[in-house]
Each structure stands twice: as structure tokens, then as C-alpha cells.
Amino acid sequence: AVVSTQSTGTGLQGFLVFHSIGGGTGSGFTSLLMERLSVDYGKKSKLQFMIYPAPQISTAIVEPYNAVLSTHFTLEHSDCAFMFDNEAIYDICRRNLSIERPTYTNLNRLMGQLVSTITATLRLEGALNV
């Protein structure tokens, strides 16, 4: 799908990759994907948005190991990485947004607002857009 999108000549600027860094698929597959993007599209920007595991709400014993190994690939194959602590996102929903039991919908909406703010200068015209 990346090759067909890139070959249409629509001015591909880069890649935004969203994933969890604690699970096997989120860390392992994304590490492989980022390596391939670096090889195939070396000059294109690669931004990663990662959810880092938190010990209080961990679902698997291997999350810390997956996070360490995936972080190594992030340092080598990503131009910019935004790491979000899973527990901190829950706490923001509870304390600042007064949501007693945050659902995935609540967490995803908060993440969407964060990403929208971070990427605003890439999407909108203005003095900060370079």
C-alpha cells in the first residue's frame, strides 16, 4: 500500500506511525516496519507516536523487555519519537478530565487531541510551518 500511494506522485512528505511499545505486535512488527521505511524511504520523515507500558497497569510480563528492544530501533530508524506513558494518560483522564473509569474511547480521544496539536504546524499554513 505504501508503494502504490508513493508512486501516485502526490508529494509524500513522510510517515506517522502509531503503536504500543509493550506488546509483541506493537513493538516487534513496528520495529521491522520502521527499518523497512528507513531503507526504502530514507529521506522521508518518520514520526512515531508510542504508548509506553506502565508497571501499574501492565498486561504482560514481557512488556519491559519489548520496550527496551523497540526503543533501540526507535533511536536508529525514527526522525522524531513522541512517547506517551500509559499510566499518565489514565491519570490525566481521571484527575484533569474527571472520568472515573476511562475507556479506550476516552484514551484515544485524548491521544487524538495531543497528536493534532503536535502536527498542527505540518498541516496548517502559518509562520511556524517550514
Side-chain angles (χ1 to χ4, degrees):
V2 173
V3 173
S4 65
T5 302
Q6 193 269 340
S7 65
T8 60
T10 58
L12 178 69
Q13 291 183 349
F15 301 93
L16 301 177
V17 180
F18 299 83
H19 64 101
S20 170
I21 205 161
T25 304
S27 61
F29 174 75
T30 306
S31 295
L32 177 63
L33 175 66
M34 293 304 292
E35 183 178 22
R36 290 305 313 163
L37 290 175
S38 289
V39 169
D40 296 344
Y41 305 96
K43 296 186 183 217
K44 300 295 181 186
S45 297
K46 291 167 288 302
L47 281 71
Q48 284 184 278
F49 296 90
M50 303 175 285
I51 304 293
Y52 245 71
Q56 299 296 335
I57 49 179
S58 178
T59 58
I61 197 164
V62 295
E63 282 185 353
Y65 305 107
N66 289 341
V68 168
L69 294 173
S70 187
T71 300
H72 171 72
F73 272 88
T74 297
L75 293 171
E76 287 192 21
H77 300 293
S78 183
D79 295 315
C80 188
F82 299 93
M83 299 178 196
F84 301 101
D85 178 20
N86 204 9
E87 190 172 353
I89 294 169
Y90 272 96
D91 287 343
I92 289 170
C93 284
R94 280 192 215 109
R95 293 181 186 156
N96 299 38
L97 302 177
S98 302
I99 301 170
E100 277 185 45
R101 295 184 53 110
T103 64
Y104 286 125
T105 301
N106 301 126
L107 301 173
N108 288 337
R109 285 184 179 157
L110 178 59
M111 292 300 302
Q113 289 179 332
L114 291 168
V115 171
S116 177
T117 302
I118 291 169
T119 61
T121 58
L122 299 172
R123 297 177 287 107
L124 306 171
E125 295 292 329
L128 296 176
N129 192 354
V130 290

